[in-house]
Amino acid sequence: MTPSPRLRTAAWLLRGISSLPGVLSLANNRLTFTAFGSGNFWPGQLRQLEADTGLAQLAQRLENDERAILFDVPLAEVEAILFPWYYFSGGVKFTVGGVRYRFGFDKPANTMITGDVEGNINEIARGRQSGKAWRKALRW
């Protein structure tokens, strides 16, 4: 098997209008997402994520602002990779272990300071750059 490139970027797990910050990384043909706290997920969304992933105490750990690895899987186990056109290169969807994940690479608008136009534009550009790097890394 050809080694995968190494890539590590900020990413936000998206569910509805809520987001969970973390880091998406690819190294040694393994894809990993580490969440950092609960973001703006509601308690019910955290419990649903715990049920979907089967990770015991996940909701409590995230509510306590702990780091938690949601998945760490061989790249070969990642299915249905999509880079939807309507994400404008700033996001990806895929399935791991039967769970559908949706990630954005730019900080969600509902977590940014309003009125900071230049900062928001820079964030969008950074997110699109990350999305393009992921598209290349996942050979999509």
Side-chain angles (χ1 to χ4, degrees):
M1 177 182 274
T2 305
S4 64
R6 295 180 66 88
L7 188 57
R8 180 179 164 92
T9 63
W12 286 261
L13 174 62
L14 306 172
R15 287 203 169 182
I17 61 170
S18 300
S19 59
L20 188 75
V23 171
L24 191 63
S25 51
L26 177 64
N28 302 318
N29 287 306
R30 295 189 70 82
L31 185 66
T32 305
F33 180 70
T34 304
F36 301 136
S38 61
N40 60 14
F41 267 37
W42 303 335
Q45 289 174 305
L46 292 172
R47 287 190 300 278
Q48 183 62 55
L49 183 61
E50 181 178 303
D52 291 348
T53 60
L55 297 171
Q57 303 298 313
L58 176 65
Q60 185 63 48
R61 291 176 57 211
L62 293 175
E63 284 176 334
N64 290 337
D65 287 328
E66 295 177 29
R67 293 181 182 202
I69 296 174
L70 267 59
F71 56 80
D72 179 4
V73 297
L75 190 54
E77 293 181 16
V78 180
E79 302 174 317
I81 300 169
L82 294 173
F83 288 86
W85 66 267
Y86 48 84
Y87 283 9
F88 301 104
S89 299
V92 64
K93 296 179 179 185
F94 53 75
T95 301
V96 172
V99 179
R100 189 75 174 152
Y101 293 96
R102 183 169 62 105
F103 289 97
F105 297 115
D106 54 337
K107 192 173 185 179
N110 64 355
T111 64
M112 292 192 285
I113 298 171
T114 58
D116 182 12
V117 176
E118 184 178 346
N120 293 351
I121 289 171
N122 290 338
E123 181 64 29
I124 291 167
R126 189 201 56 74
R128 291 188 71 216
Q129 183 179 19
S130 292
K132 289 175 183 177
W134 276 103
R135 185 180 203 129
K136 183 177 179 182
L138 296 175
R139 297 175 180 90
W140 192 85

